[in-house]
Amino acid sequence: MPFTEGAFSANSFADVAAFSGDATPLPRSLLDTILASLDDAKAEAVVDIDVAAKTPIADHMVICTGRSTRHVGAIADHLAKDLKDAGFGAVAIEGQPACDWVLIDADSVIVHVFRPEVREFYHLEKIWAPDPEPATGRR
C-alpha cells in the first residue's frame, strides 16, 4: 500500500495492520465489539452514552431496542456469545426471563436492551444524557 497523504482511516489499528501487510485481525475494543454485535442482531435505536464523568460504575452505557420480547432475548444472547468469542469472557445478564428490559454488565460498558414500550417508559437517555451547556448572557 503506497503512502499518500490522507490515506489513513480513523481506525489506526486497521491502518497499522494494512500498512504492515499483517492479515491477522487486531482485537477490537469492548465498545466496538458490543456495537457491532448489536448491529448484527438488528437492535434498533442504538445509543451510546459516555458516563465516565458521571459515575464510577461504567465508562459507557449503551441503550437499544428490540422489536419483541423474543427479539430482546435474542439480542442479549447474541451479545453474550460475541463477547465471549472475542475474548472478553462471560458477562452478567439480568432480566432475561421476562425480556422486557435486559441488562448486560460487560465490565466498563453496561448495555440495556428494551422492548419499545418499556424503553419509552423509563427513558434512560434523558437521565444519563450529557448535561446541557449552561446558558450564557442575560435576558
Side-chain angles (χ1 to χ4, degrees):
M1 172 173 152
F3 176 80
T4 58
E5 188 171 340
F8 289 97
S9 68
N11 183 349
S12 60
F13 291 115
D15 292 333
V16 170
F19 192 75
S20 67
D22 183 8
T24 306
L26 295 169
R28 297 165 70 160
S29 76
L30 176 61
L31 183 60
D32 288 343
T33 302
I34 289 170
L35 294 175
S37 177
L38 294 175
D39 186 51
D40 288 346
K42 306 289 190 250
E44 299 175 350
V46 178
V47 175
D48 170 30
I49 303 171
D50 185 346
V51 295
K54 291 186 171 213
T55 181
I57 63 170
D59 293 334
H60 287 269
M61 187 172 295
V62 176
I63 303 168
C64 65
T65 304
R67 293 181 299 276
S68 64
T69 55
R70 187 172 290 198
H71 188 215
V72 168
I75 291 168
D77 288 340
H78 185 77
L79 178 57
K81 181 184 178 308
D82 285 350
L83 289 173
K84 189 169 185 177
D85 291 349
F88 293 106
V91 294
I93 301 176
E94 295 291 331
Q96 213 162 19
C99 289
D100 286 330
W101 175 1
V102 177
L103 183 138
I104 299 111
D105 183 354
D107 195 32
S108 64
V109 180
I110 297 174
V111 182
H112 300 271
V113 186
F114 288 102
R115 277 189 319 103
E117 301 82 15
V118 179
R119 182 175 182 174
E120 187 176 320
F121 180 79
Y122 287 103
H123 204 23
L124 291 182
E125 294 94 330
K126 187 174 181 179
I127 296 170
W128 290 100
D131 294 327
E133 293 295 323
T136 58
R138 294 184 168 195
R139 290 188 139 194

